[in-house]
Amino acid sequence: MSVRLTLFCAGAGPAVREARFDDGPLDTTGLHEVRAVADSMPAAALCLRSPSVRCAQTADALGVEAEARKELRDLDTGHWRGRTLGEVAGADPEGLAQWTTDPGAAPHGGESVEQLCARVADWMDALPGDAGRVLCVVEPAVVRAGIVHALGTPPAAFWRIDVPPLSGIVLTGRSGRWNMRTGGV
């Protein structure tokens, strides 16, 4: 039996719209957008989510009871947390450039892209073969890391994957071998 893993990106709120390294609640627009796609969500035997406020509110707005899992947390951006991308670019342009070109770098003092990709890969490969359909409401970085693992691409490919709010990807697999399915969630 194969696992059918849907990684669904959480809705947008002020932190996302401001390109801020931070968690935060969905705004009225974000909640409305999530509710508009709720009927299109696939049925799942297991529903999980990132422990973030944004993912909790997205799951609730979708009408999904999802258990928070620390392995699905967002990339830890260390002392950049709370700052916008523009603020970081102005204050630490070398660090930002290093972070976006070297997947092993963590100039913010948090987690590197390589570490995130390894964490998500370990979690994916530990899913039991009989898990069936699994729906995860997660941050864009977790979706990227899942794609990197499924395709066996180097972590440098992480930054080449765009994951807008309320987009999803379906990965099917077993025994550590994953396939990516394009199309609707």
Side-chain angles (χ1 to χ4, degrees):
M1 181 174 195
S2 291
V3 175
R4 182 181 173 110
L5 174 62
T6 301
L7 297 176
F8 186 75
C9 184
V16 171
R17 296 183 207 293
E18 298 166 2
R20 184 174 299 280
F21 294 103
D22 208 357
D23 181 20
L26 300 177
D27 54 18
T28 304
T29 301
L31 282 168
H32 176 73
E33 292 168 346
V34 174
R35 290 180 182 128
V37 301
D39 289 340
S40 65
M41 296 308 296
L46 178 62
C47 297
L48 306 171
R49 66 171 175 83
S50 162
S52 72
V53 170
R54 181 173 40 248
C55 289
Q57 288 184 330
T58 299
D60 288 346
L62 291 171
V64 173
E65 286 190 43
E67 177 186 340
R69 292 283 175 93
K70 66 180 181 175
E71 304 89 91
L72 298 176
R73 71 190 178 280
D74 199 5
L75 179 82
D76 176 1
T77 55
H79 62 266
W80 290 352
R81 185 172 171 89
R83 298 166 75 187
T84 67
L85 184 60
E87 290 168 346
V88 171
D92 188 7
E94 294 84 18
L96 185 61
Q98 181 187 27
W99 184 57
T100 58
T101 58
D102 177 1
H108 44 61
E111 184 177 33
S112 73
V113 167
E114 282 181 351
Q115 290 170 319
L116 169 70
C117 289
R119 171 170 44 93
V120 172
D122 289 346
W123 174 81
M124 285 172 60
D125 290 344
L127 284 169
D130 62 352
R133 291 176 183 255
V134 180
L135 171 65
C136 298
V137 178
V138 294
E139 304 292 343
V142 174
V143 177
R144 286 185 189 114
I147 292 170
V148 164
H149 179 55
L151 298 180
T153 63
F158 179 89
W159 294 115
R160 309 293 259 157
I161 304 167
D162 290 330
V163 182
L166 306 181
S167 64
I169 192 71
V170 176
L171 305 172
T172 57
R174 64 173 178 255
S175 305
R177 181 174 183 269
W178 292 92
N179 297 308
M180 184 173 78
R181 171 179 257 182
T182 62
V185 176

